[in-house]
Coordinates of all heavy atoms in Angstrom, one line a residue:
Chain I
I96 N 91.9 -8.0 -14.5 CA 91.2 -6.8 -14.9 C 92.0 -5.6 -14.5 O 92.5 -5.4 -13.4 CB 89.8 -6.7 -14.1 CG1 89.0 -8.0 -14.4 CG2 89.0 -5.5 -14.5 CD1 88.5 -8.2 -15.8
A97 N 92.3 -4.7 -15.5 CA 93.2 -3.6 -15.3 C 92.7 -2.6 -14.3 O 93.5 -2.1 -13.5 CB 93.5 -2.9 -16.7
A98 N 91.4 -2.3 -14.4 CA 90.9 -1.2 -13.5 C 89.4 -1.4 -13.2 O 88.7 -2.0 -14.0 CB 91.1 0.1 -14.2
A99 N 89.1 -0.9 -12.0 CA 87.6 -0.8 -11.7 C 87.3 0.6 -11.4 O 88.1 1.3 -10.7 CB 87.3 -1.7 -10.5
I100 N 86.2 1.1 -11.9 CA 85.8 2.5 -11.7 C 84.5 2.3 -10.9 O 83.6 1.7 -11.4 CB 85.6 3.3 -12.9 CG1 86.9 3.4 -13.7 CG2 85.1 4.7 -12.6 CD1 86.8 4.1 -15.0
L101 N 84.5 2.8 -9.7 CA 83.3 2.6 -8.9 C 83.0 3.8 -8.0 O 83.8 4.7 -7.8 CB 83.4 1.3 -8.0 CG 84.8 1.0 -7.5 CD1 85.0 1.6 -6.2 CD2 84.9 -0.5 -7.4
G102 N 81.7 3.8 -7.5 CA 81.3 4.9 -6.6 C 81.7 4.6 -5.2 O 82.1 3.5 -4.9
A103 N 81.5 5.6 -4.3 CA 81.9 5.3 -2.9 C 81.1 6.3 -2.0 O 80.6 7.3 -2.4 CB 83.4 5.5 -2.7
M104 N 81.0 5.9 -0.7 CA 80.4 6.8 0.3 C 81.5 7.5 1.0 O 81.4 8.7 1.4 CB 79.5 6.0 1.2 CG 78.2 5.7 0.4 SD 77.1 4.6 1.3 CE 78.0 3.1 1.1
E105 N 82.6 6.8 1.3 CA 83.8 7.4 2.0 C 85.0 6.8 1.4 O 85.1 5.6 1.1 CB 83.7 7.1 3.5 CG 82.5 7.7 4.2 CD 82.5 7.3 5.7 OE1 83.3 6.4 6.1 OE2 81.7 7.9 6.4
V106 N 86.1 7.7 1.3 CA 87.4 7.2 1.0 C 88.3 7.8 2.1 O 88.2 9.0 2.4 CB 87.9 7.6 -0.4 CG1 89.3 7.1 -0.6 CG2 87.0 7.0 -1.5
A107 N 89.2 7.0 2.6 CA 90.2 7.6 3.6 C 91.5 7.9 3.0 O 91.8 7.4 1.9 CB 90.4 6.6 4.8
E108 N 92.3 8.7 3.6 CA 93.6 9.2 3.1 C 94.6 8.0 2.9 O 95.5 8.2 2.1 CB 94.2 10.3 3.9 CG 94.5 9.9 5.3 CD 94.8 11.1 6.2 OE1 94.1 12.1 6.1 OE2 95.8 11.0 7.0
N109 N 94.3 6.9 3.5 CA 95.2 5.7 3.3 C 94.7 4.8 2.2 O 95.2 3.7 2.1 CB 95.4 4.9 4.6 CG 94.1 4.3 5.1 OD1 93.0 4.6 4.6 ND2 94.1 3.5 6.2
G110 N 93.6 5.2 1.6 CA 93.0 4.4 0.5 C 91.9 3.4 0.9 O 91.4 2.6 0.1
D111 N 91.6 3.5 2.2 CA 90.4 2.6 2.6 C 89.2 3.1 1.9 O 89.0 4.3 1.7 CB 90.2 2.8 4.2 CG 91.3 2.0 5.0 OD1 92.2 1.4 4.4 OD2 91.2 2.1 6.2
L112 N 88.3 2.2 1.6 CA 87.1 2.5 0.8 C 85.9 1.9 1.6 O 85.9 0.8 2.0 CB 87.2 1.8 -0.6 CG 85.9 1.8 -1.4 CD1 85.6 3.1 -1.9 CD2 86.1 0.8 -2.6
A113 N 84.8 2.7 1.7 CA 83.5 2.3 2.2 C 82.5 2.6 1.2 O 82.2 3.7 0.8 CB 83.3 3.0 3.5
N114 N 81.8 1.5 0.7 CA 80.8 1.8 -0.3 C 79.7 0.7 -0.3 O 78.9 0.6 -1.2 CB 81.3 2.0 -1.7 CG 81.8 0.7 -2.4 OD1 81.9 -0.4 -1.7 ND2 82.1 0.7 -3.6
W115 N 79.6 -0.1 0.8 CA 78.6 -1.2 0.7 C 77.5 -1.1 1.8 O 76.5 -1.8 1.6 CB 79.3 -2.6 0.7 CG 79.8 -3.1 2.0 CD1 80.9 -2.7 2.6 CD2 79.2 -4.1 2.8 NE1 81.1 -3.4 3.8 CE2 80.1 -4.3 3.9 CE3 78.0 -4.9 2.8 CZ2 79.8 -5.2 5.0 CZ3 77.8 -5.8 3.8 CH2 78.7 -5.9 4.9
M116 N 77.7 -0.3 2.8 CA 76.6 -0.1 3.8 C 76.2 1.3 3.8 O 77.1 2.2 4.2 CB 77.1 -0.6 5.1 CG 77.1 -2.1 5.2 SD 77.9 -2.8 6.7 CE 76.5 -2.6 7.9
I117 N 75.0 1.6 3.5 CA 74.5 3.0 3.4 C 74.0 3.4 4.8 O 73.2 2.6 5.4 CB 73.4 3.2 2.4 CG1 74.0 2.7 1.0 CG2 73.0 4.6 2.3 CD1 72.9 2.6 -0.1
P118 N 74.5 4.4 5.4 CA 74.1 4.8 6.8 C 72.6 5.0 6.8 O 72.0 5.7 6.0 CB 74.8 6.1 7.1 CG 75.3 6.6 5.7 CD 75.4 5.4 4.8
G119 N 71.9 4.4 7.8 CA 70.5 4.6 8.1 C 69.6 3.8 7.1 O 68.4 3.9 7.2
K120 N 70.3 3.0 6.3 CA 69.5 2.1 5.4 C 69.8 0.7 5.6 O 70.8 0.3 6.3 CB 69.8 2.5 3.9 CG 69.2 3.8 3.5 CD 69.1 3.9 2.0 CE 68.5 5.2 1.5 NZ 68.5 5.3 0.1
L121 N 68.9 -0.2 5.1 CA 69.1 -1.6 5.3 C 70.3 -2.1 4.5 O 70.6 -1.6 3.5 CB 67.9 -2.3 4.8 CG 66.6 -2.2 5.6 CD1 65.4 -2.9 5.0 CD2 66.8 -2.7 7.1
V122 N 71.0 -3.0 5.1 CA 72.2 -3.6 4.5 C 71.7 -4.6 3.4 O 71.0 -5.5 3.7 CB 73.0 -4.4 5.5 CG1 74.3 -4.9 4.8 CG2 73.4 -3.4 6.7
K123 N 72.1 -4.3 2.2 CA 71.7 -5.2 1.1 C 72.8 -6.2 0.7 O 72.5 -7.2 0.0 CB 71.3 -4.3 -0.1 CG 70.1 -3.5 0.1 CD 69.7 -2.6 -1.1 CE 68.4 -2.0 -0.9 NZ 68.0 -1.3 -2.2
G124 N 74.0 -5.9 1.1 CA 75.1 -6.8 0.7 C 76.2 -6.2 -0.1 O 75.9 -5.1 -0.7
M125 N 77.3 -6.8 -0.1 CA 78.5 -6.2 -0.8 C 78.5 -6.6 -2.3 O 79.3 -6.0 -3.1 CB 79.8 -6.5 -0.1 CG 80.2 -8.0 -0.2 SD 79.2 -9.1 0.7 CE 79.6 -8.7 2.4
G126 N 77.7 -7.6 -2.7 CA 77.8 -8.1 -4.1 C 79.3 -8.4 -4.4 O 80.0 -9.1 -3.6
G127 N 79.8 -7.9 -5.5 CA 81.1 -8.2 -5.9 C 82.1 -7.1 -5.6 O 83.3 -7.2 -6.0
A128 N 81.7 -6.1 -4.8 CA 82.6 -4.9 -4.6 C 83.9 -5.3 -3.8 O 84.9 -4.8 -4.2 CB 81.8 -3.8 -3.8
M129 N 83.8 -6.1 -2.8 CA 85.0 -6.5 -2.0 C 86.0 -7.2 -2.9 O 87.2 -7.1 -2.7 CB 84.6 -7.3 -0.8 CG 83.9 -6.5 0.3 SD 83.8 -7.5 1.8 CE 83.0 -6.3 2.9
D130 N 85.5 -8.1 -3.7 CA 86.3 -8.9 -4.6 C 87.0 -8.0 -5.6 O 88.2 -8.1 -5.9 CB 85.5 -9.9 -5.4 CG 84.6 -10.7 -4.5 OD1 85.0 -11.8 -4.0 OD2 83.4 -10.3 -4.3
L131 N 86.3 -7.0 -6.2 CA 86.8 -6.1 -7.2 C 87.9 -5.3 -6.6 O 89.0 -5.2 -7.2 CB 85.7 -5.3 -7.8 CG 84.9 -5.9 -8.8 CD1 83.5 -5.2 -9.0 CD2 85.6 -5.9 -10.2
V132 N 87.7 -4.6 -5.5 CA 88.7 -3.7 -5.0 C 89.9 -4.5 -4.5 O 91.0 -3.9 -4.5 CB 88.1 -2.8 -3.8 CG1 87.0 -1.9 -4.4 CG2 87.7 -3.5 -2.6
A133 N 89.7 -5.7 -4.1 CA 90.9 -6.5 -3.6 C 91.7 -7.0 -4.8 O 92.9 -7.3 -4.6 CB 90.4 -7.6 -2.7
G134 N 91.1 -7.2 -5.9 CA 91.7 -7.9 -7.0 C 92.2 -7.1 -8.2 O 93.2 -7.5 -8.8
V135 N 91.5 -6.1 -8.6 CA 91.8 -5.4 -9.9 C 93.1 -4.6 -9.8 O 93.6 -4.3 -8.7 CB 90.7 -4.5 -10.4 CG1 89.4 -5.3 -10.6 CG2 90.5 -3.3 -9.5

Side-chain angles (χ1 to χ4, degrees):
Chain I
I96 304 293
I100 300 179
L101 35 88
M104 286 171 288
E105 295 177 349
V106 177
E108 61 191 43
N109 63 354
D111 287 359
L112 168 70
N114 74 350
W115 76 283
M116 286 173 80
I117 304 171
K120 287 202 179 173
L121 291 177
V122 183
K123 295 180 170 188
M125 71 291 291
M129 285 189 180
D130 311 272
L131 278 160
V132 300
V135 303

